[in-house]
Amino acid sequence: MKDFAFGKENFIVIAVAVVLIIIGFVMMSGGDSTDGVSFNPAIFSKQRIVVAPIVTVSGFALVVVGILRKPKDTPASVAEKIRHERD
């Protein structure tokens, strides 16, 4: 078994966070004009100004949680397993 710094739960939390970040950036995109020159007020919609940044920042916060969260198999318990396997 390989010894990773993160457990399975950490990777799942980080993957969910990356999906949230992508969704937030997709929600912020768009609002371009039809002819490329004229102004389109859709760039100031509530989705782009309020909701999308909240989703994106929550995704970044979830990445931090996924990194800082302790895996269930702590190094001490792994060391104990190795000691029991040797005996």
Side-chain angles (χ1 to χ4, degrees):
M1 182 174 125
K2 294 183 180 181
D3 194 21
F4 291 112
F6 297 134
K8 183 179 178 182
E9 296 87 13
N10 296 84
F11 287 117
I12 292 171
V13 169
I14 292 171
V16 169
V18 168
V19 169
L20 271 177
I21 293 168
I22 291 170
I23 289 171
F25 277 112
V26 168
M27 288 172 65
M28 278 190 255
S29 68
D32 58 345
S33 61
T34 55
D35 60 358
V37 179
S38 62
F39 176 76
N40 187 356
I43 62 171
F44 298 114
S45 69
K46 192 172 194 172
Q47 172 186 329
R48 289 189 180 93
I49 300 296
V50 178
V51 179
I54 291 173
V55 171
T56 305
V57 169
S58 65
F60 283 117
L62 199 58
V63 167
V64 171
V65 169
I67 291 171
L68 295 179
R69 184 177 180 175
K70 277 188 165 184
K72 288 191 177 185
D73 279 338
T74 60
S77 65
V78 172
E80 289 177 15
K81 288 180 185 178
I82 292 172
R83 282 189 212 127
H84 289 295
E85 289 175 2
R86 289 182 188 169
D87 296 335

